[in-house]
Every structure is written in structure tokens, then in C-alpha cells.
Amino acid sequence: MAIGDAAYIKKINRSQIISKIIEQGMISRADLSKITKLTRATISVQVADLLEEELIVESQQEHNTVGRKPIMLSLNRLAGYALGIDLDFRTISFTVSDLTGNPVRTDHVELENSNYDEVLQILINEIRGYKEKYSHSRFGIVGVVIGIHGIVKNDNTISFVTQHKWYNKDLKGDLERNLHTEIYIENNANLCSFAEKVYTHHQSENLVSVSMYSGIGLGILINGELLKGYHGYAGEMGHMIIIPDGKPCNCGNLGCWELYASENSFLKQLAENLNQHLLSYEEVKELIHANNPVAMQQIEEFLKYIAVGLNNIINLLNPETLVLNSELLKMIPNAESKIKANLKSSISDYKELLISELGTNASVMGACALAIKNFLEIPELSFTIENDILEGIN
């Protein structure tokens, strides 16, 4: 066997072992051998290497039977940390997670404007701070992934961010030149879709996540892989025209879906209809609770426009799981059933449609998970996270 082949096989075995340790949470060497179908000798050598690297740890499991307590293996969650960043229109969100995907810290920085150089400097300063803060761990910050609410090309450069009006920006290159750290740039909707797969819908291989905040973007998983298209433009369904000659969009077209079915457009329109300057989520919740006729009428239109776009997506992609990422939909009574009622086509076929449990955390959680996956060099990742932990990082 050639040396190159042996090294490749060793890498594959290592990847498989790490994946199963993460999937099981805690597992013995014997059980690891059974699950992976690798010999005990191979397991022993690989585990010894991982223990020496401090990537995994050993512990004794309590049991009530006679005999020696089994030695269990688990991922060393504090060996390193992932940094996920969601770069939205008005706010940049930063979340640090341990190696098991659990968030340990979340911060938000408000943006005063869309000046690229100023936003770049904020990112440089913040990332430097996190690198210093977590430098005490074995691996420090293992990866930095930034979610962009716009078009990200397959080469990690930014083509266009509608809200900021950024064109052809090399954010990855600009950050790496200043930080000397590898940066990964991804569309935020893709990260949301990845998060849904990793944290919630582990078995779903064909999943579509619809991010509905400042605009609308689709993260599409087909056979477990992100669908990005020829240059990375796939999923920009927010700019699908649903009203010919409708409202003007920053993209240059008229009547784009996100002008009628994004949370940003809903809040703007409702504030205008109520002769108010700006509305918060809490104020909208109060209007719904009071059954305000103006708000309820606009909600009906909002749900109708959501269904129009979803009908096109379902017929185009035939997804198994369709996840709507929207804080506003969580406030609307029976939102799921009302949307489904508007999907009347006899040929629209999907398995389940639901509102995301991850909510506004989905993008940063997907970013952290992707950073961990890249660091561990494993093909698949499955984490679980408690709702109270998610609520704590909002």
C-alpha cells in the first residue's frame, strides 16, 4: 500500500471516529469499534492520538452491574471555540460556541451606517478581541464564519448586499490581511439551513430554510448538500417577482417577493398604515393581542404573500422539510395552518412545513457549526441544544 493511501485511510478513519463520538455524546472503545466496523487496534491507535491532542477526553461511567466501570470517550468541548457572525443591516451579532455547538457568549453591535470600511474595522476589532479572550484554550478560536444577507459567490467574495448597497466586496480577503486568520464567508440563509439540519432536523436530507428578516433568502439542502448554483447565486428567491410592475426593489426589479413577505417590509408597511414612525416586535405583539383591525388585515395579506412564494418554491424543489425562520410568524396565532391553507395546488408536495425553533439565532448557530465541521474535518455533524440555552443568548 502506498504511503499516500495509508495516510488517506487514516484520515478517513479519524473522521469517522470523531463523527461517532459526537453523535453518541459518550461512547466506549468497544462500542466505537462495533459502530464504525473498525478493528479495536485501529480504534486504540486513533483514540490515543486524539487524547494526546486533547481533542477528546476519557471518563468513567457510573453503572450498577458487577465489574469494572467502562471508560467512556467524549469530545473535549472546551478544547476550542467557534466564532459565528451574522452581519445584518442594522446589527452585527457575534456568538461563540464550544466544540459541541453550545453557545457560551453572544454580543451585538449596532451599525450606525453601511460604510464598508467602518463595518470592516468593527469586524477586525471584535474578532481580535475574541481571539485574545479564548486564546487560553488548547486550540483557541478554531474558525470564524460570517453570514452575509446578500449574494456570496463560490469564491467567498460578496457580489451584492441589497440593504447595504455593497457591490463586489472581498470581505474575506480584507479581514484575513488584517487578522492573519482564515475567514469563511457564507450566505446567511445557507447558514440557517445548515443550522436546521445540524441542530434540529438531523434526518432531513432535502430541506429548505426561508430566512424572512431584513429580506428573504433561501438555504437549500439537496441530498444533504447545500445547493449554491453556478456562481453561488442560488436561493435568492426574495427577488422572485410575484407582483408584475409592483413596488421598486433595490435589486432593480419591481414587485420582488421580499417587498411583500419579509419582516422588514411588514413592519414598514404597518407603521405607515398606523401613521407611526417605527414599530418593534413587542408593539406588534400587543396589536395582535388587541386584535387591532389594521394589523390583522395586514397580517392576512402578509400570510397570503408568503404562501404565494412558498407555492413556487415547493413546486420547484419538492422539499421534504420547509422551515420558515421568522420571529413575526411566532406571534401570529395558527400561522402555520393559515399558510398551509393558502397552499391550494394539488401538485404542491412536501412532507412538513414549520416555523424555526432557532429563530434569529439560526444564522450564527449555523456559522458556529460550520466552523466546527471544517475544523474537525468531518462529513456530517449532529448537535442537540436545549431551548433554554437558545433563549439565553437572545
Side-chain angles (χ1 to χ4, degrees), residues 91-377:
T91 306
I92 309 178
S93 299
F94 301 83
T95 290
V96 177
S97 80
D98 61 28
L99 291 186
T100 60
N102 279 293
V104 297
R105 180 188 180 98
T106 290
D107 301 291
H108 304 282
V109 175
E110 299 301 318
L111 295 179
E112 296 181 358
N113 57 61
S114 292
N115 183 278
Y116 176 78
D117 292 331
E118 291 184 26
V119 174
L120 174 64
Q121 193 58 53
I122 290 172
L123 289 169
I124 291 170
N125 294 340
E126 293 294 325
I127 294 171
R128 277 180 179 158
Y130 287 112
K131 287 179 63 179
E132 176 62 28
K133 182 174 180 61
Y134 293 94
S135 61
H136 66 278
S137 62
R138 174 68 174 81
F139 296 101
I141 295 292
V142 302
V144 180
V145 177
I146 304 176
I148 302 295
H149 293 241
I151 299 172
V152 178
K153 297 180 183 178
N154 288 333
D155 63 2
N156 261 219
T157 59
I158 297 171
S159 174
F160 178 45
V161 178
T162 308
Q163 298 286 350
H164 286 298
K165 295 185 175 61
W166 290 349
Y167 294 89
N168 301 318
K169 298 295 184 182
D170 184 14
L171 182 61
K172 172 184 171 69
D174 292 338
L175 288 171
E176 289 179 347
R177 279 187 288 274
N178 284 275
L179 295 166
H180 308 292
T181 298
E182 185 174 6
I183 306 292
Y184 193 88
I185 308 293
E186 183 56 272
N187 172 268
N188 79 297
N190 285 343
L191 292 176
C192 289
S193 180
F194 185 65
E196 296 294 343
K197 165 73 172 172
V198 170
Y199 288 97
T200 309
H201 306 283
H202 300 154
Q203 305 306 316
S204 183
E205 294 295 305
N206 295 280
L207 182 149
V208 173
S209 173
V210 186
S211 181
M212 302 174 60
Y213 297 103
S214 57
I216 292 182
L218 256 65
I220 306 167
L221 283 172
I222 301 294
N223 297 326
E225 298 293 329
L226 280 172
L227 178 66
K228 296 190 177 183
Y230 178 47
H231 280 308
Y233 285 46
E236 288 299 321
M237 295 294 283
H239 298 288
M240 164 180 61
I241 297 172
I242 65 166
I243 305 291
D245 301 320
K247 299 176 184 178
C249 181
N250 286 331
C251 77
N253 279 326
L254 302 175
C256 291
W257 188 31
E258 67 178 38
L259 299 177
Y260 301 87
S262 69
E263 291 194 354
N264 186 52
S265 64
F266 175 90
L267 292 171
K268 282 183 178 178
Q269 186 63 56
L270 183 56
E272 182 180 320
N273 291 344
L274 293 171
N275 295 315
Q276 294 188 31
H277 178 63
L278 193 63
L279 285 171
S280 66
Y281 285 120
E282 192 59 38
E283 288 170 325
V284 173
K285 185 184 292 187
E286 291 173 1
L287 289 169
I288 293 172
H289 182 71
N291 205 31
N292 179 276
V294 176
M296 301 313 293
Q297 173 62 33
Q298 190 175 321
I299 284 172
E300 291 302 313
E301 292 182 4
F302 178 62
L303 297 177
K304 180 187 73 175
Y305 286 128
I306 290 173
V308 169
L310 292 182
N311 185 75
N312 294 336
I313 292 166
I314 292 166
N315 289 337
L316 182 66
L317 299 172
N318 182 215
E320 175 185 1
T321 305
L322 190 60
V323 184
L324 306 181
N325 197 307
S326 166
E327 291 300 303
L328 185 57
L329 288 179
K330 291 180 182 179
M331 303 176 191
I332 301 172
N334 304 314
E336 285 179 30
S337 59
K338 288 178 180 178
I339 291 170
K340 290 176 183 178
N342 279 304
L343 298 173
K344 300 175 182 178
S345 173
S346 60
I347 61 171
S348 293
D349 185 53
Y350 60 93
K351 183 178 180 181
E352 57 180 347
L353 184 153
L354 42 87
I355 298 170
S356 173
E357 297 176 2
L358 298 175
T360 54
N361 300 304
S363 181
V364 285
M365 297 301 292
C368 288
L370 185 57
I372 294 168
K373 179 177 180 290
N374 291 342
F375 168 67
L376 296 177
E377 297 182 298

Side-chain angles (χ1 to χ4, degrees), residues 48-68:
D49 287 345
L50 292 170
L51 285 169
E52 185 177 357
E53 294 174 33
E54 300 178 27
L55 197 55
I56 64 172
V57 292
E58 292 180 314
S59 60
Q60 285 193 322
Q61 187 179 48
E62 294 294 332
H63 70 146
N64 298 319
T65 58
V66 177
R68 189 169 58 182

